[in-house]
């Protein structure tokens, strides 16, 4: 976190104790991030990034605005960027309610923005601009951040496009949640 008091980690939560009778609603697994209290050395809370009928596949990179207003998570599998109201999320995190399996906990606190690049795994924020880097792309994507509305702001080329080898194509399809 910008103040150094909390660490954040993206992860998946497997639902191996539930019978897999449906795919919706997190019955197989959910895509989450954990909030860790560094001083207290404990998990403060855990949040699902999914909503009941739509997952947010493979959360990867996580970053914050320096003013502690916005938290961003890059979703490598669903090619999205989650933009979360950091202050409101932290108020929930500090409550006694566990949110790991609450698919609507962040619903009103988050926007999801489509990323054109494939498999965004890294996200960095400078000022009010987020930069994502896709694992299968040769450019950075820029996003204007706001708690009311986020928008794509352009791309920065990192050089000529490299063709995907058969191995990388297989890897791309394996991680692509849109298939």
């Amino acid at each position: 976190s910008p103040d150094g008091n909390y660490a954040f980690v993206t992860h998946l939560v497997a639902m191996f104790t539930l019978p897999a009778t449906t795919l919706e609603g997190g019955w197989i697994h959910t895509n989450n991030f954990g909030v860790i209290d560094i001083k207290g050395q404990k998990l403060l809370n855990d949040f699902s990034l999914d909503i009941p009928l739509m997952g947010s596949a493979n959360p990867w990179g996580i970053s914050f605005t320096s003013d502690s207003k916005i938290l961003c998570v890059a979703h490598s599998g669903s090619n999205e960027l989650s933009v979360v109201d950091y202050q409101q999320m932290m108020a929930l995190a500090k409550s006694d309610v566990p949110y790991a399996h609450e698919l609507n906990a962040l619903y009103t606190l988050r926007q999801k923005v489509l990323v054109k690049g494939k498999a965004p795994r890294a996200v960095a924020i400078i000022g009010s601009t987020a930069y994502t880097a896709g694992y299968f792309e040769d450019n950075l994507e820029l996003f204007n951040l706001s708690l009311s509305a986020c928008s794509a702001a352009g791309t920065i080329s990192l050089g000529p496009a490299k063709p995907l080898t058969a191995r990388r194509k297989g890897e791309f399809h394996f991680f692509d949640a849109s298939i």
Side-chain angles (χ1 to χ4, degrees), residues 81-145:
L81 182 68
S82 279
V83 180
V84 179
D85 183 321
Y86 178 77
Q87 295 298 321
Q88 289 190 39
M89 180 275 304
M90 284 303 297
L92 291 177
K94 293 174 184 177
S95 74
D96 291 332
V97 178
Y99 288 104
H101 303 295
E102 296 294 329
L103 300 184
N104 286 318
L106 297 177
Y107 189 75
T108 61
L109 309 181
R110 178 193 51 183
Q111 302 171 60
K112 288 170 78 172
V113 182
L114 287 177
V115 177
K116 290 179 185 175
K118 297 299 180 191
R121 294 186 178 177
V123 59
I125 299 174
I126 300 172
S128 62
T129 304
Y131 299 80
T132 62
Y135 187 70
F136 297 103
E137 290 297 320
D138 299 306
N139 58 51
L140 300 175
E141 281 187 69
L142 288 66
F143 298 89
N144 293 320
L145 298 177

Side-chain angles (χ1 to χ4, degrees), residues 47-87:
F47 292 94
S48 174
L49 290 156
D50 299 333
I51 57 176
L53 296 177
M54 185 181 303
S56 297
N58 300 343
W60 207 279
I62 194 164
S63 190
F64 312 85
T65 56
S66 60
D67 62 4
S68 299
K69 289 185 179 179
I70 296 174
L71 171 147
C72 288
V73 179
H75 300 278
S76 182
S78 55
N79 302 310
E80 296 170 310
L81 182 68
S82 279
V83 180
V84 179
D85 183 321
Y86 178 77
Q87 295 298 321

Side-chain angles (χ1 to χ4, degrees), residues 7-71:
F8 291 76
V9 61
T10 58
H11 63 98
L12 305 181
V13 176
M15 304 300 183
F16 54 85
T17 60
L18 296 174
T21 59
T22 184
L23 296 176
E24 292 92 8
W27 277 64
I28 304 297
H29 76 267
T30 57
N31 300 279
N32 291 32
F33 70 87
V35 182
I36 301 164
D37 177 350
I38 295 172
K39 189 175 181 180
Q41 296 185 353
K42 67 176 185 169
L43 178 67
L44 186 62
N45 221 317
D46 196 58
F47 292 94
S48 174
L49 290 156
D50 299 333
I51 57 176
L53 296 177
M54 185 181 303
S56 297
N58 300 343
W60 207 279
I62 194 164
S63 190
F64 312 85
T65 56
S66 60
D67 62 4
S68 299
K69 289 185 179 179
I70 296 174
L71 171 147

Side-chain angles (χ1 to χ4, degrees), residues 151-164:
S151 60
T155 60
I156 298 173
S157 174
L158 298 175
K162 296 179 183 176
L164 288 178

